[in-house]
Amino acid sequence: GSNEAVVLGGTSDSILSDTKGPEVLLYMNDDKWISGGTTNSNPYMYVKLFDESGINTSGSGVGRNLTATLDDGKSFIVNDFYQAQQNDFTHGEIRYPLSNLSDGKHTLTFKAWDVYNNSSTATTEFYVVNEASLSVSRLLNYPNPFFNSTTFHFDHNKANQALDVQIQIMNINGQVVKNLHTHFDQAPSHFEHL
């Protein structure tokens, strides 16, 4: 048999135009992360990706890999860590373990490409704190002062670990008027409690 309707070569007249790079959301440990927070020395880089044309994970073309760069120095390719959402080529995520990071401030930059060779980058900053003890940073409540309700926020270096949180609310005389207690089997990197 034969079929003369098959065309080899050329391009389609109905190719969509795509000039926008992927949407990149970059976190440390989980999606509760806020840039500038604290982690331990072995955090996870967590990335959520979206592109209506799809994410390029083949690495085809020079420099067309999913890459992360730590502190403007060491770059690493994370194509093999990309997981597409089931039955959806437009969404995916990456969980990449970082290890033995030194204490102090770090900057992480992530770059992704779509299948039309458009790129996007995202950057986050974080502080590594010795994990031997709990470190709490950016502790605040808002609004403050408050009348009926307030929300407490803080970052810590024990993400994904068991954590008991106790908050005491005091009046202006220093008397405890409310005790709040929350237990996490796997604590988020950023705590928020109403």
Side-chain angles (χ1 to χ4, degrees):
S2 67
N3 183 345
E4 295 181 6
V6 176
V7 177
L8 299 177
T11 60
S12 170
D13 294 334
S14 61
I15 294 177
L16 297 175
S17 175
D18 183 351
T19 58
K20 184 180 174 189
E23 179 182 309
V24 179
L25 300 173
L26 177 60
Y27 307 102
M28 299 303 294
N29 296 312
D30 58 45
D31 61 3
K32 301 293 185 202
W33 173 256
I34 296 176
S35 185
T38 57
T39 70
N40 60 28
S41 61
N42 299 302
Y44 276 85
M45 175 186 74
Y46 179 42
V47 184
K48 288 185 176 183
L49 296 163
F50 166 76
D51 191 275
E52 60 188 21
S53 302
I55 305 297
N56 184 350
T57 60
S58 68
S60 62
V62 176
R64 300 297 192 260
N65 290 300
L66 300 173
T67 57
T69 304
L70 185 61
D71 299 327
D72 294 326
K74 181 183 176 188
S75 290
F76 37 97
I77 297 171
V78 296
N79 293 357
D80 292 342
F81 290 82
Y82 179 77
Q83 294 288 315
Q85 279 189 3
Q86 188 172 0
N87 301 320
D88 184 359
F89 70 94
T90 64
H91 290 85
E93 63 183 34
I94 295 170
R95 290 186 188 275
Y96 183 82
L98 301 170
S99 60
N100 300 320
L101 299 179
S102 61
D103 286 0
K105 182 180 177 181
H106 295 276
T107 302
L108 184 66
T109 302
F110 180 82
K111 186 171 189 177
W113 298 82
D114 66 13
V115 296
Y116 280 83
N117 288 324
N118 301 304
S119 67
S120 295
T121 60
T123 301
T124 192
E125 292 183 341
F126 61 99
Y127 292 85
V128 172
V129 178
N130 183 328
E131 61 242 52
S133 60
L134 176 66
S135 174
V136 174
S137 63
R138 300 195 302 187
L139 172 63
L140 62 98
N141 69 297
Y142 183 82
N144 187 5
F146 67 95
F147 180 67
N148 286 328
S149 67
T150 189
T151 303
F152 293 90
H153 299 264
F154 67 83
D155 295 328
H156 60 90
N157 64 334
K158 299 289 186 179
N160 299 320
Q161 298 179 34
L163 189 65
D164 279 312
V165 177
Q166 183 173 351
I167 298 172
Q168 292 183 332
I169 301 173
M170 299 178 188
N171 63 20
I172 58 173
N173 296 323
Q175 298 166 316
V176 175
V177 294
K178 181 98 174 172
N179 279 310
L180 303 173
H181 181 261
T182 303
H183 173 78
F184 295 99
D185 290 327
Q186 292 185 315
S189 58
H190 178 79
F191 176 86
E192 183 175 325
H193 190 308
L194 296 173

